[in-house]
Amino acid sequence: MTSDIFGLFAPEIGEAIRPFGLESYRGKQIAEWMYRRGVRDFAAMTSLSKGQREILASHFRIGTLKAETEQHSADKKTSKFLLRLADGNAIETVLMRQPYGNSVCVSTQVGCAMGCRFCASTLHGVIRNLSAGEILGQVLYIDRLLKPSEGVSTIVIMGSGEPLANYEQVLRFIRLCHEGYCLNLSYRSITLSTAGVVPGIDRLAAEVIPINLSISLHASNNEVRSQLMPLNDIFPIEEVLAAAGRYAKATGRRVTYEYTLIKGINDRPQHARELAGKLKGQLANVNLIPVNPVAEKGFERPDTVEIIRFAEQLRRFKVNVTVRREMGADIQAACGQLRRKVIETRKNAQ
């Protein structure tokens, strides 16, 4: 039975191949072929002899993701891919063509267990964690589509799943992306989004790698946040904000708070004032996100006037705020929507 080496660091590949008579330094060559050049067949690794390539093919394999379906927005700026894993499960990956470069949003779990009321990812629960190789495979799938003229410039770990619930594999993925034989990405080009898993935030702060941290807050008080996010019953707002403060101090990086605006739930002026009070003195930014309607959830997007008013209220209290530019609304680019659509279509066809 062959062993999958996609997702290993170069030294780990070197150790894996040494018992079969290949020198350990070949590990870096193999890593460069897989990660930088996108090669998925040992036979194409021409810096190795034919015999060495045959040995590799006999004992190892290179895991790949296959696109089951894809959608592209009318403005050509957003593309969403449903990628099939080796075990038959599917995950979503989104490409966003931004003015500053190409950004890829990756999933870290098949499904999600956080139970956020407004998110489609949670509708079918969580099935399993992804490996570092499966997370990296999403980025490299997009990178191959974009090259040779351009490639991936930033990564957001903001797709389906809670990254800090899959800590070890997500950290491996982040470190792999930073390696010169892989994507050679700066840590500052990577953003991780969490629902507010406090021990995970503190653990990440202790790594002292300056990735950008984004926290899903979505409410200005514990009563509303618990209605929207069950995790708040375990880690309430005060504990989340304190952990974010520790992260900012350890890394020197400004924390972004994601705040999904839902009509009649958390979009009133008093909510803005309350939020501003909570963030006073924080090295922080608020990213306002008009909710993506999910039929099963019944939440509605506020009027544009209300969105602008909420942002102005925050600015009045000296809070840095942005309103997320909507991308891919016409192709269901929000987390879990395409996967849910495929699952429901198959269920109805049975």
Side-chain angles (χ1 to χ4, degrees):
M1 185 176 178
T2 57
S3 176
D4 187 1
I5 60 171
F6 191 86
L8 297 183
F9 290 92
E12 293 174 331
I13 298 172
E15 284 301 304
I17 64 177
R18 202 155 54 90
F20 301 100
L22 279 76
E23 304 93 334
S24 295
Y25 75 84
R26 300 285 186 186
K28 185 175 181 181
Q29 292 179 327
I30 295 167
E32 288 176 338
W33 279 109
M34 290 193 304
Y35 303 143
R36 290 198 68 80
R37 304 192 194 189
V39 169
R40 296 293 178 269
D41 185 351
F42 292 115
M45 298 182 179
T46 53
S47 59
L48 285 77
S49 71
K50 182 179 178 182
Q52 290 171 328
R53 284 177 274 165
E54 289 174 348
I55 290 172
L56 288 172
S58 296
H59 298 282
F60 302 99
R61 68 182 185 278
I62 302 171
T64 58
L65 305 181
K66 297 180 180 179
E68 176 169 325
T69 186
E70 57 188 73
Q71 296 178 338
H72 306 277
S73 63
D75 62 8
K76 308 298 183 186
K77 292 182 179 179
T78 307
S79 298
K80 187 165 193 174
F81 303 86
L82 189 69
L83 302 177
R84 187 64 58 184
L85 304 170
D87 65 359
N89 283 303
I91 53 174
E92 296 174 342
T93 306
V94 180
L95 164 64
M96 296 164 286
R97 297 172 177 86
Q98 308 276 15
Y100 53 80
N102 297 305
S103 182
V104 176
C105 179
V106 298
S107 296
T108 55
Q109 295 178 308
V110 181
C112 185
M114 292 297 103
C116 298
R117 312 295 187 205
F118 49 83
C119 182
S121 294
T122 69
L123 289 173
H124 299 280
V126 67
I127 295 175
R128 69 170 177 86
N129 288 334
L130 298 182
S131 68
E134 289 170 329
I135 305 170
L136 179 62
Q138 298 171 62
V139 181
L140 296 187
Y141 179 88
I142 301 299
D143 200 55
R144 291 198 304 274
L145 291 179
L146 295 171
K147 286 183 174 178
S149 59
E150 53 185 352
V152 172
S153 51
T154 59
I155 296 171
V156 287
I157 309 171
M158 202 177 288
S160 295
E162 167 52 55
L164 297 182
N166 186 17
Y167 187 92
E168 296 292 348
Q169 293 302 312
V170 169
L171 189 64
R172 280 182 65 89
F173 160 71
I174 290 170
R175 294 194 185 281
L176 261 172
C177 289
H178 185 65
E179 292 289 345
Y181 54 76
C182 192
L183 287 166
N184 197 31
L185 270 185
S186 161
Y187 285 128
R188 295 173 186 268
S189 298
I190 301 173
T191 298
L192 181 147
S193 177
T194 175
V197 181
V198 169
I201 295 172
D202 285 332
R203 192 176 175 189
L204 191 63
E207 305 284 352
V208 196
I209 51 176
I211 65 169
N212 304 298
L213 179 66
S214 176
I215 296 176
S216 297
L217 201 62
H218 305 312
S220 58
N221 60 64
N222 285 314
E223 181 181 0
V224 175
R225 193 167 190 260
S226 288
Q227 291 173 11
L228 297 175
M229 304 177 68
L231 186 67
N232 192 69
D233 293 335
I234 303 172
F235 304 117
I237 287 180
E238 293 76 15
E239 291 185 23
V240 172
L241 295 182
R246 294 190 291 271
Y247 184 87
K249 183 177 181 180
T251 63
R253 305 296 290 163
R254 182 184 297 273
V255 174
T256 294
Y257 292 101
E258 306 286 344
Y259 193 102
T260 295
L261 283 167
I262 306 171
K263 186 174 183 178
I265 303 293
N266 63 357
D267 64 336
R268 302 294 89 193
Q270 63 267 28
H271 295 134
R273 292 192 295 270
E274 194 172 31
L275 179 61
K278 291 276 200 308
L279 298 182
K280 187 175 181 180
Q282 286 252 2
L283 182 61
N285 177 69
V286 173
N287 188 17
L288 298 178
I289 311 164
V291 69
N292 284 288
V294 177
E296 293 88 341
K297 304 295 186 177
F299 293 131
E300 296 180 26
R301 170 197 168 105
D303 298 333
T304 301
V305 172
E306 296 297 331
I307 296 169
I308 295 172
R309 184 178 298 160
F310 197 96
E312 288 177 345
Q313 282 276 340
L314 291 176
R315 292 190 183 105
R316 192 171 297 135
F317 288 97
K318 311 300 181 184
V319 175
N320 292 308
V321 60
T322 56
V323 179
R324 179 178 291 179
R325 185 167 62 94
E326 290 188 88
M327 299 184 72
D330 58 327
I331 59 168
Q332 298 181 307
C335 295
Q337 289 186 328
L338 179 57
R339 176 173 174 265
R340 175 182 64 88
K341 181 180 178 181
V342 170
I343 289 174
E344 294 300 327
T345 300
R346 287 180 171 176
K347 188 181 297 183
N348 294 334
Q350 291 175 351

mmCIF file of all heavy atoms in Angstrom, residues 257-284:
data_model
loop_
_atom_site.group_PDB
_atom_site.id
_atom_site.type_symbol
_atom_site.label_atom_id
_atom_site.label_comp_id
_atom_site.label_asym_id
_atom_site.label_seq_id
_atom_site.Cartn_x
_atom_site.Cartn_y
_atom_site.Cartn_z
ATOM 1 N N TYR A 257 -12.436 42.101 13.752
ATOM 2 C CA TYR A 257 -13.656 41.478 14.251
ATOM 3 C C TYR A 257 -14.684 41.452 13.126
ATOM 4 O O TYR A 257 -15.076 42.493 12.599
ATOM 5 C CB TYR A 257 -14.208 42.250 15.450
ATOM 6 C CG TYR A 257 -13.315 42.150 16.668
ATOM 7 C CD1 TYR A 257 -12.452 43.195 17.003
ATOM 8 C CD2 TYR A 257 -13.317 41.013 17.459
ATOM 9 C CE1 TYR A 257 -11.617 43.095 18.103
ATOM 10 C CE2 TYR A 257 -12.474 40.909 18.564
ATOM 11 C CZ TYR A 257 -11.635 41.951 18.875
ATOM 12 O OH TYR A 257 -10.801 41.853 19.962
ATOM 13 N N GLU A 258 -15.089 40.244 12.759
ATOM 14 C CA GLU A 258 -16.125 40.084 11.744
ATOM 15 C C GLU A 258 -17.484 40.267 12.419
ATOM 16 O O GLU A 258 -17.758 39.667 13.465
ATOM 17 C CB GLU A 258 -16.050 38.688 11.111
ATOM 18 C CG GLU A 258 -14.686 38.316 10.559
ATOM 19 C CD GLU A 258 -14.353 39.037 9.260
ATOM 20 O OE1 GLU A 258 -15.284 39.584 8.649
ATOM 21 O OE2 GLU A 258 -13.178 39.040 8.873
ATOM 22 N N TYR A 259 -18.327 41.087 11.803
ATOM 23 C CA TYR A 259 -19.639 41.377 12.388
ATOM 24 C C TYR A 259 -20.684 41.282 11.284
ATOM 25 O O TYR A 259 -20.826 42.171 10.449
ATOM 26 C CB TYR A 259 -19.633 42.783 13.006
ATOM 27 C CG TYR A 259 -20.807 43.101 13.910
ATOM 28 C CD1 TYR A 259 -20.662 43.078 15.292
ATOM 29 C CD2 TYR A 259 -22.060 43.428 13.386
ATOM 30 C CE1 TYR A 259 -21.723 43.381 16.135
ATOM 31 C CE2 TYR A 259 -23.123 43.720 14.225
ATOM 32 C CZ TYR A 259 -22.956 43.700 15.592
ATOM 33 O OH TYR A 259 -24.013 44.004 16.420
ATOM 34 N N THR A 260 -21.398 40.140 11.255
ATOM 35 C CA THR A 260 -22.433 39.931 10.253
ATOM 36 C C THR A 260 -23.685 40.693 10.665
ATOM 37 O O THR A 260 -24.258 40.438 11.734
ATOM 38 C CB THR A 260 -22.752 38.431 10.108
ATOM 39 O OG1 THR A 260 -21.593 37.760 9.606
ATOM 40 C CG2 THR A 260 -23.904 38.204 9.144
ATOM 41 N N LEU A 261 -24.095 41.622 9.835
ATOM 42 C CA LEU A 261 -25.273 42.443 10.129
ATOM 43 C C LEU A 261 -26.546 41.712 9.714
ATOM 44 O O LEU A 261 -26.710 41.322 8.561
ATOM 45 C CB LEU A 261 -25.179 43.781 9.389
ATOM 46 C CG LEU A 261 -24.234 44.823 9.998
ATOM 47 C CD1 LEU A 261 -23.984 45.956 9.012
ATOM 48 C CD2 LEU A 261 -24.812 45.374 11.303
ATOM 49 N N ILE A 262 -27.442 41.526 10.673
ATOM 50 C CA ILE A 262 -28.703 40.818 10.436
ATOM 51 C C ILE A 262 -29.854 41.739 10.818
ATOM 52 O O ILE A 262 -29.894 42.260 11.949
ATOM 53 C CB ILE A 262 -28.765 39.515 11.257
ATOM 54 C CG1 ILE A 262 -27.533 38.646 10.970
ATOM 55 C CG2 ILE A 262 -30.046 38.756 10.960
ATOM 56 C CD1 ILE A 262 -27.407 37.451 11.887
ATOM 57 N N LYS A 263 -30.746 41.924 9.907
ATOM 58 C CA LYS A 263 -31.853 42.858 10.097
ATOM 59 C C LYS A 263 -32.671 42.536 11.352
ATOM 60 O O LYS A 263 -33.122 41.410 11.547
ATOM 61 C CB LYS A 263 -32.766 42.836 8.870
ATOM 62 C CG LYS A 263 -33.874 43.880 8.896
ATOM 63 C CD LYS A 263 -34.649 43.882 7.590
ATOM 64 C CE LYS A 263 -35.718 44.972 7.588
ATOM 65 N NZ LYS A 263 -36.453 45.017 6.305
ATOM 66 N N GLY A 264 -32.794 43.557 12.217
ATOM 67 C CA GLY A 264 -33.613 43.420 13.409
ATOM 68 C C GLY A 264 -32.999 42.621 14.533
ATOM 69 O O GLY A 264 -33.605 42.475 15.604
ATOM 70 N N ILE A 265 -31.782 42.098 14.328
ATOM 71 C CA ILE A 265 -31.137 41.266 15.349
ATOM 72 C C ILE A 265 -29.966 41.990 16.015
ATOM 73 O O ILE A 265 -29.895 42.084 17.239
ATOM 74 C CB ILE A 265 -30.644 39.932 14.747
ATOM 75 C CG1 ILE A 265 -31.791 39.159 14.089
ATOM 76 C CG2 ILE A 265 -29.959 39.085 15.824
ATOM 77 C CD1 ILE A 265 -32.828 38.645 15.045
ATOM 78 N N ASN A 266 -29.055 42.503 15.182
ATOM 79 C CA ASN A 266 -27.833 43.115 15.740
ATOM 80 C C ASN A 266 -27.420 44.376 15.002
ATOM 81 O O ASN A 266 -26.258 44.768 15.044
ATOM 82 C CB ASN A 266 -26.686 42.101 15.712
ATOM 83 C CG ASN A 266 -26.315 41.686 14.285
ATOM 84 O OD1 ASN A 266 -26.947 42.101 13.307
ATOM 85 N ND2 ASN A 266 -25.286 40.872 14.161
ATOM 86 N N ASP A 267 -28.369 45.017 14.310
ATOM 87 C CA ASP A 267 -28.022 46.134 13.417
ATOM 88 C C ASP A 267 -28.533 47.485 13.889
ATOM 89 O O ASP A 267 -28.520 48.457 13.135
ATOM 90 C CB ASP A 267 -28.573 45.853 12.014
ATOM 91 C CG ASP A 267 -30.101 45.797 11.981
ATOM 92 O OD1 ASP A 267 -30.707 45.524 13.041
ATOM 93 O OD2 ASP A 267 -30.689 46.027 10.910
ATOM 94 N N ARG A 268 -28.967 47.586 15.144
ATOM 95 C CA ARG A 268 -29.516 48.840 15.648
ATOM 96 C C ARG A 268 -28.406 49.778 16.133
ATOM 97 O O ARG A 268 -27.302 49.331 16.471
ATOM 98 C CB ARG A 268 -30.478 48.573 16.808
ATOM 99 C CG ARG A 268 -31.671 47.659 16.482
ATOM 100 C CD ARG A 268 -32.608 48.299 15.483
ATOM 101 N NE ARG A 268 -32.248 47.998 14.094
ATOM 102 C CZ ARG A 268 -32.738 48.627 13.052
ATOM 103 N NH1 ARG A 268 -33.572 49.642 13.217
ATOM 104 N NH2 ARG A 268 -32.390 48.292 11.836
ATOM 105 N N PRO A 269 -28.670 51.094 16.172
ATOM 106 C CA PRO A 269 -27.663 52.051 16.648
ATOM 107 C C PRO A 269 -27.135 51.723 18.044
ATOM 108 O O PRO A 269 -25.949 51.907 18.329
ATOM 109 C CB PRO A 269 -28.417 53.387 16.638
ATOM 110 C CG PRO A 269 -29.449 53.216 15.555
ATOM 111 C CD PRO A 269 -29.868 51.792 15.643
ATOM 112 N N GLN A 270 -28.021 51.213 18.914
ATOM 113 C CA GLN A 270 -27.551 50.879 20.263
ATOM 114 C C GLN A 270 -26.540 49.742 20.248
ATOM 115 O O GLN A 270 -25.641 49.666 21.092
ATOM 116 C CB GLN A 270 -28.724 50.527 21.190
ATOM 117 C CG GLN A 270 -29.538 49.306 20.802
ATOM 118 C CD GLN A 270 -30.753 49.652 19.949
ATOM 119 O OE1 GLN A 270 -30.738 50.650 19.225
ATOM 120 N NE2 GLN A 270 -31.795 48.844 20.073
ATOM 121 N N HIS A 271 -26.684 48.839 19.262
ATOM 122 C CA HIS A 271 -25.708 47.765 19.124
ATOM 123 C C HIS A 271 -24.345 48.319 18.721
ATOM 124 O O HIS A 271 -23.301 47.855 19.203
ATOM 125 C CB HIS A 271 -26.179 46.737 18.093
ATOM 126 C CG HIS A 271 -27.427 46.008 18.493
ATOM 127 N ND1 HIS A 271 -28.485 45.813 17.626
ATOM 128 C CD2 HIS A 271 -27.800 45.455 19.676
ATOM 129 C CE1 HIS A 271 -29.445 45.155 18.258
ATOM 130 N NE2 HIS A 271 -29.050 44.923 19.497
ATOM 131 N N ALA A 272 -24.360 49.315 17.829
ATOM 132 C CA ALA A 272 -23.102 49.938 17.397
ATOM 133 C C ALA A 272 -22.421 50.636 18.569
ATOM 134 O O ALA A 272 -21.204 50.514 18.760
ATOM 135 C CB ALA A 272 -23.376 50.922 16.261
ATOM 136 N N ARG A 273 -23.208 51.355 19.364
ATOM 137 C CA ARG A 273 -22.636 52.053 20.526
ATOM 138 C C ARG A 273 -22.069 51.058 21.542
ATOM 139 O O ARG A 273 -20.981 51.260 22.099
ATOM 140 C CB ARG A 273 -23.701 52.935 21.176
ATOM 141 C CG ARG A 273 -24.127 54.125 20.318
ATOM 142 C CD ARG A 273 -24.948 55.118 21.126
ATOM 143 N NE ARG A 273 -26.221 54.536 21.558
ATOM 144 C CZ ARG A 273 -27.349 54.604 20.847
ATOM 145 N NH1 ARG A 273 -27.342 55.214 19.662
ATOM 146 N NH2 ARG A 273 -28.464 54.084 21.305
ATOM 147 N N GLU A 274 -22.797 49.977 21.759
ATOM 148 C CA GLU A 274 -22.358 48.952 22.704
ATOM 149 C C GLU A 274 -21.071 48.285 22.221
ATOM 150 O O GLU A 274 -20.140 48.050 22.999
ATOM 151 C CB GLU A 274 -23.469 47.916 22.873
ATOM 152 C CG GLU A 274 -23.295 46.983 24.046
ATOM 153 C CD GLU A 274 -24.528 46.116 24.261
ATOM 154 O OE1 GLU A 274 -25.222 45.782 23.281
ATOM 155 O OE2 GLU A 274 -24.777 45.764 25.428
ATOM 156 N N LEU A 275 -20.998 47.998 20.916
ATOM 157 C CA LEU A 275 -19.806 47.386 20.333
ATOM 158 C C LEU A 275 -18.604 48.313 20.474
ATOM 159 O O LEU A 275 -17.505 47.871 20.833
ATOM 160 C CB LEU A 275 -20.057 47.053 18.859
ATOM 161 C CG LEU A 275 -18.888 46.428 18.098
ATOM 162 C CD1 LEU A 275 -18.484 45.100 18.719
ATOM 163 C CD2 LEU A 275 -19.255 46.237 16.626
ATOM 164 N N ALA A 276 -18.813 49.589 20.195
ATOM 165 C CA ALA A 276 -17.725 50.557 20.312
ATOM 166 C C ALA A 276 -17.183 50.600 21.736
ATOM 167 O O ALA A 276 -15.967 50.693 21.952
ATOM 168 C CB ALA A 276 -18.214 51.936 19.884
ATOM 169 N N GLY A 277 -18.071 50.521 22.705
ATOM 170 C CA GLY A 277 -17.647 50.511 24.098
ATOM 171 C C GLY A 277 -16.804 49.298 24.436
ATOM 172 O O GLY A 277 -15.800 49.392 25.160
ATOM 173 N N LYS A 278 -17.183 48.145 23.888
ATOM 174 C CA LYS A 278 -16.442 46.912 24.143
ATOM 175 C C LYS A 278 -15.028 46.974 23.550
ATOM 176 O O LYS A 278 -14.092 46.399 24.084
ATOM 177 C CB LYS A 278 -17.183 45.722 23.523
ATOM 178 C CG LYS A 278 -18.507 45.366 24.196
ATOM 179 C CD LYS A 278 -18.293 44.481 25.399
ATOM 180 C CE LYS A 278 -19.539 43.719 25.824
ATOM 181 N NZ LYS A 278 -20.749 44.497 26.030
ATOM 182 N N LEU A 279 -14.890 47.664 22.417
ATOM 183 C CA LEU A 279 -13.609 47.682 21.693
ATOM 184 C C LEU A 279 -12.723 48.864 22.056
ATOM 185 O O LEU A 279 -11.632 49.007 21.503
ATOM 186 C CB LEU A 279 -13.869 47.684 20.181
ATOM 187 C CG LEU A 279 -14.603 46.468 19.616
ATOM 188 C CD1 LEU A 279 -14.742 46.578 18.108
ATOM 189 C CD2 LEU A 279 -13.887 45.167 19.985
ATOM 190 N N LYS A 280 -13.163 49.681 22.970
ATOM 191 C CA LYS A 280 -12.380 50.858 23.357
ATOM 192 C C LYS A 280 -10.997 50.433 23.851
ATOM 193 O O LYS A 280 -10.855 49.562 24.708
ATOM 194 C CB LYS A 280 -13.109 51.636 24.457
ATOM 195 C CG LYS A 280 -12.438 52.957 24.789
ATOM 196 C CD LYS A 280 -13.262 53.749 25.798
ATOM 197 C CE LYS A 280 -12.599 55.088 26.108
ATOM 198 N NZ LYS A 280 -13.404 55.869 27.096
ATOM 199 N N GLY A 281 -9.967 51.020 23.248
ATOM 200 C CA GLY A 281 -8.595 50.721 23.643
ATOM 201 C C GLY A 281 -7.992 49.515 22.964
ATOM 202 O O GLY A 281 -6.820 49.217 23.174
ATOM 203 N N GLN A 282 -8.760 48.795 22.133
ATOM 204 C CA GLN A 282 -8.262 47.607 21.440
ATOM 205 C C GLN A 282 -7.538 47.992 20.150
ATOM 206 O O GLN A 282 -7.920 48.950 19.476
ATOM 207 C CB GLN A 282 -9.430 46.677 21.080
ATOM 208 C CG GLN A 282 -9.999 45.924 22.253
ATOM 209 C CD GLN A 282 -9.631 44.450 22.218
ATOM 210 O OE1 GLN A 282 -8.916 43.981 21.323
ATOM 211 N NE2 GLN A 282 -10.098 43.713 23.196
ATOM 212 N N LEU A 283 -6.474 47.256 19.824
ATOM 213 C CA LEU A 283 -5.829 47.369 18.518
ATOM 214 C C LEU A 283 -6.662 46.520 17.564
ATOM 215 O O LEU A 283 -6.422 45.323 17.402
ATOM 216 C CB LEU A 283 -4.386 46.854 18.588
ATOM 217 C CG LEU A 283 -3.543 46.941 17.296
ATOM 218 C CD1 LEU A 283 -3.390 48.382 16.847
ATOM 219 C CD2 LEU A 283 -2.190 46.274 17.505
ATOM 220 N N ALA A 284 -7.702 47.142 16.984
ATOM 221 C CA ALA A 284 -8.707 46.335 16.290
ATOM 222 C C ALA A 284 -9.344 47.066 15.117
ATOM 223 O O ALA A 284 -9.265 48.289 14.988
ATOM 224 C CB ALA A 284 -9.810 45.925 17.280
#
